[in-house]
Amino acid sequence: MKEQTAVPQEPAEFSLKAIILPLLAIIVGMIMVILDSTVVNVAIPNLVQYFETDLKTIQWTVTGYTLALSAVIPLAGWLTDRFGAKRVFLFTIAMFTLGSVLCSIAQSPEQLIIYRIIQGLGGGMVAPIGMAMVFRLAPPERRGSIMGMLGIPMLLAPALGPVLSGWFIESLSWHWIFLINLPIGIAAFILCIKFLPDTDRGRTPALDLLGMILAPIAFSMLAYGVSEGGTSWTSATTLTGVIVGGVALILFIIVELRHQNPLLELRVFKSSDFSRGIILAWVSQVALFGAMILIPLYLQQIKGYTALETGLILLPQALASGVGMPLGGRLFDKIGARPLAFVGLGIISGALFILSSITAETGLGLIITALVMMGLGMGLSMMPLNTHVLNAAPRKLVGRVTPLTAAAQQVVVSFAVAGLTGFLTSRIADNTMSTEPTAIVHGLVAGFNDTFFLAACIALFGCLLSLILRKPKPMPEEELQNGDKPDPAMMMGH
């Protein structure tokens, strides 16, 4: 009788007010890191001029940051078990803030690259650990809507980043795109100390030392190889990165499958529902994040907009994401991920097909329409799809999903950005017949059209692939076998 009265009272007793302050603390910390993923892209031309260097050198400020993210993410699970989620979260925010301040006072491109790596080492674990803590705070029946709330800054920040970056660059200087993180980081640190609950430390397994060595090598070398592939897929640096990373990845998989307490729990792929969901998530990330780096390039290189104007044009996409995200969270609780992923990716593919036909004379209204469609599609599909992946993981392994999925996302996004950028470069070269201005403009437009069309096809493939999703089957027997409740975690990084 006691159990019967407790169950119906649980939803009534839950109040958003009870978790709003811990949720705010986590969001402030996460939004600082997520914003930083896009602000540097807008600032690259200014950095090239300021340091009197070339584009290839400055691009390492982005590549080095990404490599640091992918290298450190696999350690999130073990560190959380060893020191507790709150303590690790505070340390990573402090490290990211320190890296930001160092970036703002960099005197050379080499210093800036090193400081960006420090930023990445700090920021790599902020999002997955933050998502894990929120997932733990939210009751199961409200998990979709609470995750939808958390997802708002995760999709708003990448679109708002260019606006802030453009404004800082034109009104102040590039230093402020990093220095602004100092007050935000201090505020996040204070909020986390005051409002985040202390979490129980897990039973710390023996450190998977070989996995800890192989994982960063595999992820970082593959990301490096794909980044270099944007210039040439047959160069020595590209082949070295891909071959070394590929061999390390194969060895890493073998080690993890045979280790009793692996760094990354690859056995979760035995769940067909999880495998279907994660593959679909990867496909959607290739289309989404690959296209998101192309749009600012198109607006500045072909349309001739300034950094601030580009950021403002991207703002409707952020607003549409803010509308779609909580809507997707609420609908997920009712209808599941499949219809939302199908509709969301369908809208995204439609937007990318529109972008694949634009020219230098295309009106701004059509471009903004496509951006709004992309934002709405992202909001509807991204968080429900990621929550589905988590729910599809076997209960006894769910606590180990965060580092696996977050690290994989960084590698997939690196593949997407480098691959589509390399495709764009080759298509522009193939379509440029001479050095005359009109021919150069034609080559640029044709190159962007072809690349947006490729991204649209990838999104359409994801839309069709979503039809194989199914609602994960409950596995109560696994929960009974596992006496300690797992610490559920979320996959999405930035």
Side-chain angles (χ1 to χ4, degrees):
M1 291 299 293
K2 289 182 180 179
E3 292 182 358
Q4 292 176 350
T5 56
V7 172
Q9 285 179 0
E10 187 176 345
E13 289 177 355
F14 173 77
S15 171
L16 182 60
K17 292 181 181 179
I19 67 168
I20 192 66
L21 290 177
L23 190 65
L24 177 63
I26 294 169
I27 287 176
V28 172
M30 289 177 60
I31 198 170
M32 173 178 64
V33 177
I34 299 170
L35 272 172
D36 214 71
S37 66
T38 55
V39 293
V40 176
N41 293 340
V42 176
I44 283 178
N46 187 270
L47 294 173
V48 171
Q49 182 179 6
Y50 180 87
F51 289 113
E52 297 180 352
T53 185
D54 56 20
L55 180 61
K56 189 171 183 179
T57 299
I58 289 298
Q59 281 182 331
W60 274 99
T61 61
V62 177
T63 304
Y65 181 79
T66 304
L67 294 178
L69 288 177
S70 59
V72 77
I73 285 173
L75 297 176
W78 187 87
L79 288 174
T80 300
D81 289 339
R82 179 68 176 84
F83 300 105
K86 179 178 179 178
R87 186 175 296 182
V88 177
F89 194 70
L90 287 169
F91 176 80
T92 55
I93 287 178
M95 189 173 183
F96 182 87
T97 305
L98 173 63
S100 299
V101 174
L102 291 173
C103 286
S104 70
I105 60 174
Q107 299 297 309
S108 68
E110 292 78 16
Q111 287 183 10
L112 184 59
I113 292 168
I114 293 172
Y115 298 153
R116 283 283 285 169
I117 292 174
I118 295 175
Q119 264 194 318
L121 294 175
M125 290 184 285
V126 169
I129 293 176
M131 296 292 276
M133 289 190 291
V134 173
F135 198 94
R136 192 176 185 181
L137 289 170
E141 70 278 357
R142 297 289 300 275
R143 196 163 281 163
S145 57
I146 298 298
M147 281 295 178
M149 290 177 56
L150 183 64
I152 292 176
M154 296 187 67
L155 289 187
L156 284 179
L160 290 175
V163 179
L164 295 176
S165 178
W167 185 79
F168 281 132
I169 290 169
E170 294 186 15
S171 301
L172 298 169
S173 70
W174 66 266
H175 304 79
W176 282 90
I177 66 176
F178 298 111
L179 195 57
I180 190 62
N181 289 334
L182 178 60
I184 299 176
I186 292 174
F189 195 85
I190 294 173
L191 286 170
C192 289
I193 289 179
K194 192 169 184 180
F195 298 116
L196 279 187
D198 290 321
T199 54
D200 296 332
R201 301 181 191 179
R203 291 174 299 181
T204 307
L207 181 60
D208 179 10
L209 186 59
L210 190 54
M212 187 177 69
I213 295 172
L214 289 172
I217 293 175
F219 295 137
S220 60
M221 290 303 293
L222 283 173
Y224 171 76
V226 174
S227 298
E228 290 295 304
T231 303
S232 172
W233 286 103
T234 57
S235 67
T237 53
T238 300
L239 293 176
T240 299
V242 172
I243 292 173
V244 173
V247 172
L249 180 62
I250 293 173
L251 294 175
F252 174 72
I253 292 173
I254 295 173
V255 168
E256 297 306 278
L257 290 177
R258 302 178 72 175
H259 200 284
Q260 186 176 0
N261 297 297
L263 193 66
L264 295 182
E265 186 53 83
L266 301 183
R267 283 167 288 202
V268 72
F269 283 98
K270 291 181 179 180
S271 166
S272 63
D273 290 329
F274 177 87
S275 298
R276 295 178 189 186
I278 195 65
I279 291 172
L280 177 58
W282 290 344
V283 171
S284 63
Q285 287 159 7
V286 168
L288 282 172
F289 292 101
M292 284 177 66
I293 202 171
L294 296 176
I295 293 171
L297 290 174
Y298 166 82
L299 292 173
Q300 294 184 60
Q301 291 186 359
I302 294 182
K303 302 296 289 184
Y305 291 112
T306 65
L308 179 57
E309 291 169 340
T310 298
L312 291 172
I313 292 170
L314 292 172
L315 189 57
Q317 179 182 356
L319 298 176
S321 297
V323 172
M325 180 63 72
L327 178 61
R330 293 191 191 98
L331 291 175
F332 173 81
D333 291 331
K334 298 179 180 179
I335 63 177
R338 182 167 61 182
L340 292 171
F342 180 81
V343 173
L345 286 168
I347 295 173
I348 292 169
S349 61
L352 290 171
F353 278 121
I354 291 175
L355 292 174
S356 70
S357 62
I358 55 180
T359 66
E361 292 76 31
T362 299
L364 189 57
L366 184 61
I367 296 174
I368 291 179
T369 299
L371 291 175
V372 169
M373 291 173 62
M374 282 192 65
L376 182 62
M378 289 169 64
L380 287 175
S381 61
M382 185 67 75
M383 192 58 66
L385 184 57
N386 292 333
T387 308
H388 168 87
V389 168
L390 176 70
N391 289 339
R395 298 301 94 186
K396 62 183 179 182
L397 301 178
V398 70
R400 309 294 295 176
V401 168
T402 300
L404 168 65
T405 51
Q409 175 176 315
Q410 292 302 322
V411 176
V412 169
V413 170
S414 298
F415 270 73
V417 172
L420 288 183
T421 301
F423 184 77
L424 172 65
T425 302
S426 64
R427 295 309 300 156
I428 290 175
D430 292 343
N431 286 287
T432 303
M433 302 302 177
S434 69
T435 57
E436 295 181 3
T438 54
I440 293 175
V441 172
H442 170 77
L444 284 170
V445 171
F448 274 99
N449 287 346
D450 292 345
T451 310
F452 279 125
F453 182 78
L454 175 61
C457 292
I458 295 172
L460 182 60
F461 173 71
C463 179
L464 298 176
L465 192 63
S466 68
L467 295 175
I468 69 173
L469 288 182
R470 63 185 183 186
K471 188 174 182 180
K473 298 178 181 179
M475 291 170 279
E477 70 282 357
E478 291 186 350
E479 294 180 342
L480 292 174
Q481 291 172 4
N482 188 16
D484 297 329
K485 292 184 178 180
D487 180 13
M490 198 60 191
M491 66 172 284
M492 194 169 178
H494 64 78

